[in-house]
Amino acid sequence: MFLGKVIGSVWATQKETGMENLKLMMVQPIDTKECESGQVVIAADRIGAGVGERVIVSRGTPARILFGQGNAPIDAVIVGIVDSFEVAE
Amino acid sequence: MFLGKVIGSVWATQKETGMENLKLMMVQPIDTKECESGQVVIAADRIGAGVGERVIVSRGTPARILFGQGNAPIDAVIVGIVDSFEVAE
Amino acid sequence: MFLGKVIGSVWATQKETGMENLKLMMVQPIDTKECESGQVVIAADRIGAGVGERVIVSRGTPARILFGQGNAPIDAVIVGIVDSFEVAE
Amino acid sequence: MFLGKVIGSVWATQKETGMENLKLMMVQPIDTKECESGQVVIAADRIGAGVGERVIVSRGTPARILFGQGNAPIDAVIVGIVDSFEVAE
Amino acid sequence: MFLGKVIGSVWATQKETGMENLKLMMVQPIDTKECESGQVVIAADRIGAGVGERVIVSRGTPARILFGQGNAPIDAVIVGIVDSFEVAE
């Protein structure tokens, strides 16, 4: 997983099967000093993450498992909203 | 998933099984300011994305799920055509 | 897998199904001279890795296999605590 | 998938099960101006791609699907030989 | 797959289930001029690769397939020891 910050939302009317009723957020990966670190990822959100919140994002088939037998072609999901993190100096 | 811009098409006559009748588009990943961000990806398109449009691309096995039990060796698919996106400053 | 150093922990109360009771560590990938090398990864830990320890992290579906038929959306796991490594000059 | 140029071949006598009788090509990822773009990938070729040809390479489990139930540990396959591509300015 | 050079070994006593009796090598990805190219990968070796040898490494689920139904959380395996490779100028 990676640490990210929710920076926005994206909308698409014309889409593939399995993409209906999904909330898609733009997540900027950040480092432990909360600086940008790598390319923005579009992740599905089912736990109510809001813009500005720090989140944990999982990717690939392990993330897709949350959609069970369905055909949602989702390769990134917000799996946690960060309360806090602690990094050793 | 990542945000991209459709920049072109690619054609191949000699190809693997499972690659028949697929429309393959070249997608340039972009950042939230629509600047280029990373290497071009060749993605299958089944929803009619056109050159110049901003799209959402899914990758890996989660993307391939759209092709069901078939043997299409597809690792990237355009899953949405972006209407709009909103990014917090 | 990659070589990393455990640098901290992360906590999330609001989370996806399958994320309960997991210890999540922040792991900094390092090179053979133990210098930082790439973006921090959040990995699940079930073997008691502590901050400062060097670990081996596996990613993707091969890592998730440790969670069996469950629905844990985990894409990175600490699979070993490094005793030592030896690199040829 | 990515766009690449076949730049050579690689041979290995001592190998894992499932690697027998495979033609392995070295493919340099290229951008739309045909400049080098990223690290060389070793891909299996079953469609007769030759050195100098531009090809489409698929990766991961979606690529491996071409080998069916077998145990070929192949994570990259040449899935098309490019006839032409067109990129908008 | 990628081309790499075996540069060392790593040992771990405390480890996850499925990691027993595995020989883990550190592999430096190299380019066609044998210069370092990217981050070191820890790969399982079952074919007797030695330090200094050039090898082919496969990653992800396609690599893990070599471990069959077991629960080895292995995401990288040395699948061939390179005899020679040939690159066009």
Side-chain angles (χ1 to χ4, degrees), chain A residues 11-78:
Chain A
W11 294 273
T13 307
Q14 204 168 333
K15 55 198 167 205
E16 271 287 356
T17 53
M19 294 292 290
E20 305 83 8
N21 307 317
L22 285 173
K23 185 179 156 210
L24 297 177
M25 306 304 276
M26 301 186 89
V27 182
Q28 171 65 58
I30 55 174
D31 63 22
T32 56
K33 280 163 186 145
E34 309 211 15
C35 298
E36 296 187 10
S37 168
Q39 296 169 273
V40 169
V41 168
I42 299 177
D45 172 41
R46 312 191 312 173
I47 58 175
V51 169
E53 283 188 299
R54 294 165 309 172
V55 293
I56 301 168
V57 176
S58 182
R59 284 192 280 194
T61 295
R64 214 207 72 82
I65 206 165
L66 292 166
F67 296 90
Q69 300 303 315
N71 61 352
I74 292 297
D75 69 1
V77 179
I78 294 175

Side-chain angles (χ1 to χ4, degrees), chain C:
Chain C
M1 288 77 70
F2 70 84
L3 183 69
K5 188 176 197 169
V6 180
I7 59 166
S9 306
V10 57
W11 294 273
T13 306
Q14 204 168 336
K15 55 198 167 204
E16 271 286 355
T17 54
M19 294 292 290
E20 305 83 7
N21 307 317
L22 285 173
K23 186 180 154 209
L24 297 176
M25 306 303 277
M26 302 187 88
V27 182
Q28 170 65 58
I30 55 174
D31 63 22
T32 56
K33 280 162 185 145
E34 309 211 14
C35 297
E36 295 187 10
S37 168
Q39 295 169 273
V40 169
V41 169
I42 299 177
D45 171 42
R46 313 192 310 173
I47 58 174
V51 170
E53 284 188 299
R54 295 165 309 171
V55 293
I56 301 169
V57 176
S58 182
R59 284 192 281 194
T61 295
R64 215 207 72 82
I65 207 166
L66 292 166
F67 295 89
Q69 300 303 314
N71 61 353
I74 292 296
D75 69 2
V77 179
I78 295 175
V79 296
I81 299 176
V82 174
D83 294 324
S84 63
F85 63 86
E86 197 174 280
V87 174
E89 292 306 315

